[in-house]
Amino acid sequence: MPLRFWKKEKPDKGKPEKEPEKPPKVEKERPAAKPAPAETVLKQEPSAKKPEEKPAPPPTPPKPGEVEVFVNEAHAGLVDLGLTVAPTKAVFAKRIAAYPGGEGAFVAEYRTAPYKAVTRVLADWLGFHVPETFELDAILKEVNPRLSSFKLTLAAKDATWLDQELNLRKAKLILGDQEKVVRFKDARDFLKGVNELLAGRKLAFLELETWADDFAFLLVRDPRWDKLKNPELVVIKADQTATGGECGECGAPVGKYWSDC
């Protein structure tokens, strides 16, 4: 009996055999997120209180006889500089008693900075102060009583502004039969012009250091520049005394103990 060979039926083309289904993936449970650590609030410790600045201790009271010694020494120095005369010592002593803070304050400053103590007394005693901003009438009221001792009177006319922002003015100065037009920004510039008119009479207004914003001046006859350039007793601001170096801002010559140029 003939053998039959059975043909295996081929799948129809175009119908791909189904792939065996893969078992579904089982997602692993993700570990629960850890809660964020609670922010620790840093408590600021109360800042330590700064120690209160204690007021400067009062100056050491003068020793017996110390005031008289300093008065005699300072006054003799002023006479030697040609800034006063010997008979004025009693008046000078009264000015020391009227020093801000009294005699004790003068002695305390004289011990450490005699040039400051004496310059301040001199400015208040024989000199006069001019503020940074001034009127011509006000400065003439200070200048003319001092010039009157030499039978002189200064007048200023035709004052006009050149630049208000720079505080620059000009005026005509009249002294006897002399006239001069000056430009000035401050009292120093103004009195430099006055000094040019006084040069022939051997008079000059000297500028005293104030260590402040104002100016101070003293009228002197025939200034002894060879002695006045030593600032250890009195600090005078002038070209002749500008021997202490240069200004750090503008390079102008300055003197020892000057607060500015």
Side-chain angles (χ1 to χ4, degrees), residues 12 15 28 38 44 76 79 84 92 126 148 150 166 170-171 174 209 211 220-223 225 234 236 250 252:
D12 295 338
K15 292 183 180 181
K28 295 181 179 179
Q44 292 184 349
V79 172
T84 190
F92 180 72
L126 298 177
S148 65
F150 303 94
L166 296 176
K170 75 172 182 177
I174 303 171
E209 178 62 88
W211 297 279
V220 176
R221 185 182 183 91
D222 198 10
W225 291 115
V234 176
I236 293 174
C250 67

Side-chain angles (χ1 to χ4, degrees), residues 8-228:
K8 193 175 182 180
E9 292 183 1
K10 295 180 180 180
D12 295 338
K13 290 182 179 180
K15 292 183 180 181
E17 293 183 359
K18 291 183 180 180
E19 293 182 1
E21 294 182 0
K22 295 180 180 179
K25 290 183 179 179
V26 179
E27 292 186 0
K28 295 181 179 179
E29 292 185 3
R30 294 181 181 177
K34 294 180 180 180
E39 293 183 1
T40 54
V41 179
L42 296 177
K43 292 184 179 180
Q44 292 184 349
E45 295 292 333
S47 57
K49 291 183 179 179
K50 294 182 180 179
E52 295 182 0
E53 293 184 2
K54 295 181 180 179
T60 306
K63 298 175 183 177
E66 193 172 22
V67 174
E68 185 179 359
V69 169
F70 286 169
V71 166
N72 292 340
E73 182 178 284
H75 186 264
L78 292 176
V79 172
D80 184 58
L81 293 174
L83 301 179
T84 190
V85 292
T88 61
K89 187 169 71 172
V91 180
F92 180 72
K94 291 180 180 178
R95 300 301 305 191
I96 299 300
Y99 193 81
E103 292 177 340
F106 173 81
V107 168
E109 188 155 46
Y110 190 87
R111 287 176 184 144
T112 57
Y115 57 90
K116 272 191 177 182
V118 177
T119 302
R120 285 171 173 162
V121 171
L122 188 62
D124 293 338
W125 174 32
L126 298 177
F128 61 94
H129 290 263
V130 182
E132 196 171 11
T133 303
F134 67 95
E135 297 297 331
L136 284 180
D137 289 343
I139 197 170
L140 290 176
K141 287 179 181 178
E142 297 287 356
V143 167
N144 278 323
R146 290 163 173 82
L147 290 177
S148 65
S149 301
F150 303 94
K151 298 180 180 180
L152 296 171
T153 302
L154 178 71
K157 295 183 178 180
D158 304 330
T160 56
W161 283 100
L162 298 177
D163 191 326
Q164 286 190 322
E165 289 186 3
L166 296 176
N167 200 33
L168 182 62
R169 292 177 279 179
K170 75 172 182 177
K172 180 190 289 186
L173 301 182
I174 303 171
L175 184 72
D177 58 354
Q178 295 176 277
E179 293 185 0
K180 180 179 179 60
V181 176
V182 295
R183 296 185 176 197
F184 57 95
K185 292 188 295 183
D186 51 33
R188 178 188 299 158
D189 290 343
F190 180 81
L191 286 172
K192 278 185 178 179
V194 175
N195 284 342
E196 290 177 9
L197 295 175
L198 294 173
R201 295 173 171 85
K202 295 185 178 181
L203 294 171
F205 283 97
L206 306 186
E207 182 184 352
L208 301 172
E209 178 62 88
T210 63
W211 297 279
D213 292 333
D214 65 341
F215 297 85
F217 300 93
L218 173 71
L219 180 62
V220 176
R221 185 182 183 91
D222 198 10
R224 301 176 185 176
W225 291 115
D226 57 328
K227 294 185 176 183
L228 292 173

